[in-house]
Amino acid sequence: MAERYRCIMLFGAPGVGKGTQGKMLGELEGFVHLATGDMFRGLDQESELGQEFLKYSTRGELVPDEFTVRLWQQHVADLVGNGHYDPSRDILFLDGIPRTVTQAEKLDPLVEPLAVVHLRAQDLDEMVHRMKLRAEKEGRPDDADEAVIRRRFEVYEEETSPVLGHYDAGLILEIDAIGSIEEVFDRIQEALKSVEDEQLSGTSR
Ligand code: AMP
């Protein structure tokens, strides 16, 4: 079997801070951040693929699994091709994928999860608030409307949260996502230390 991409998955409800944390983590040496939301938003919105994405995202729904995983594979291949990601050296921070159990199954032969960082926040109102601010700041059509945001949470509960059960419990790192960006970042880095030590000593052997 071909070598699987070593990855750390960022997992958590919409608005919990995956994107912000993922960007910061992706700046660290030896890591590459890959967010499927960014990947989709990077599509030409006039193209057929871009239209397909908007059809789902503007309703707070997930893009179909087959399309998502195919596009993701192409995106990773492009990152390798353009030198942004070297699978033999870098660890991928996967942000926003897998979002369904079917996606997790499709990714099984492609990725080797080293850890699943589960960002947790109980305060739904706080997350809705964060998402509205972000929508205004970034001009995101999916999060501009509260009904769409609420739908995103329902989809998360129904389709995405079962994904955690797909992975070995020993891989899951529970992180409290309430606090400043820096506080949460420190918690994640602390939790990842054991993973990195193991992996980095593993790769240098
Ligand atoms: P995000 O920026 O991660 O909140 O994603 C924005 C939108 O992109 C989501 O609401 C979905 O419509 C779509 N999307 C992102 N990742 C996935 C995925 N893994 N599977 C299906 N749809 C996704």
Side-chain angles (χ1 to χ4, degrees):
M1 191 174 72
E3 199 73 13
R4 292 179 300 160
Y5 304 127
R6 292 178 307 146
C7 72
I8 295 172
M9 294 172 175
L10 285 173
F11 197 85
V16 81
K18 295 187 298 295
T20 306
Q21 296 297 332
K23 277 195 194 86
M24 289 164 69
L25 292 160
E27 300 283 308
L28 301 173
E29 181 70 25
F31 293 96
V32 172
H33 175 227
L34 200 168
T36 44
D38 293 342
M39 170 187 88
F40 281 126
R41 281 184 291 275
L43 293 171
D44 173 1
Q45 309 228 327
E46 303 301 320
S47 70
E48 211 177 308
L49 294 181
Q51 289 288 315
E52 184 76 357
F53 161 62
L54 283 178
K55 188 168 99 191
Y56 294 97
S57 65
T58 49
R59 298 197 301 239
E61 306 280 342
L62 296 178
V63 176
D65 294 326
E66 184 70 34
F67 171 29
T68 299
V69 174
R70 210 166 354 106
L71 196 67
W72 179 86
Q73 271 187 278
Q74 182 58 52
H75 191 69
V76 177
D78 290 346
L79 288 176
V80 174
N82 65 24
H84 282 104
Y85 165 49
D86 174 353
S88 67
R89 183 194 62 198
D90 305 323
I91 294 175
L92 279 180
F93 264 110
L94 286 189
D95 167 0
I97 193 168
R99 252 172 155 120
T100 65
V101 172
T102 304
Q103 289 179 15
E105 288 166 355
K106 286 180 184 292
L107 287 187
D108 279 344
L110 305 174
V111 302
E112 180 194 352
L114 308 176
V116 180
V117 173
H118 182 200
L119 292 172
R120 304 180 67 141
Q122 304 296 345
D123 189 345
L124 191 78
D125 289 338
E126 166 65 22
M127 285 192 283
V128 172
H129 176 66
R130 284 190 196 184
M131 288 168 77
K132 282 185 167 168
L133 285 181
R134 181 178 70 182
E136 278 167 27
K137 217 169 86 188
E138 299 176 9
R140 290 178 49 156
D142 50 350
D143 294 337
D145 162 342
E146 185 151 341
V148 175
I149 298 181
R150 300 272 169 199
R151 179 68 194 134
R152 271 160 62 78
F153 282 108
E154 281 169 19
V155 169
Y156 177 77
E157 284 307 321
E158 287 161 18
E159 299 188 52
T160 306
S161 65
V163 171
L164 268 188
H166 182 80
Y167 295 104
D168 192 305
L171 288 179
I172 299 172
L173 305 172
E174 299 288 354
I175 306 288
D176 177 4
I178 297 294
S180 69
I181 290 174
E182 290 72 23
E183 280 164 351
V184 177
F185 184 62
D186 288 347
R187 285 177 206 145
I188 298 174
Q189 279 196 292
E190 191 57 40
L192 285 176
K193 267 191 188 143
S194 57
V195 178
E196 286 171 39
D197 288 349
E198 241 172 66
Q199 276 304 310
L200 298 180
S201 61
T203 49
S204 61
R205 257 183 259 136

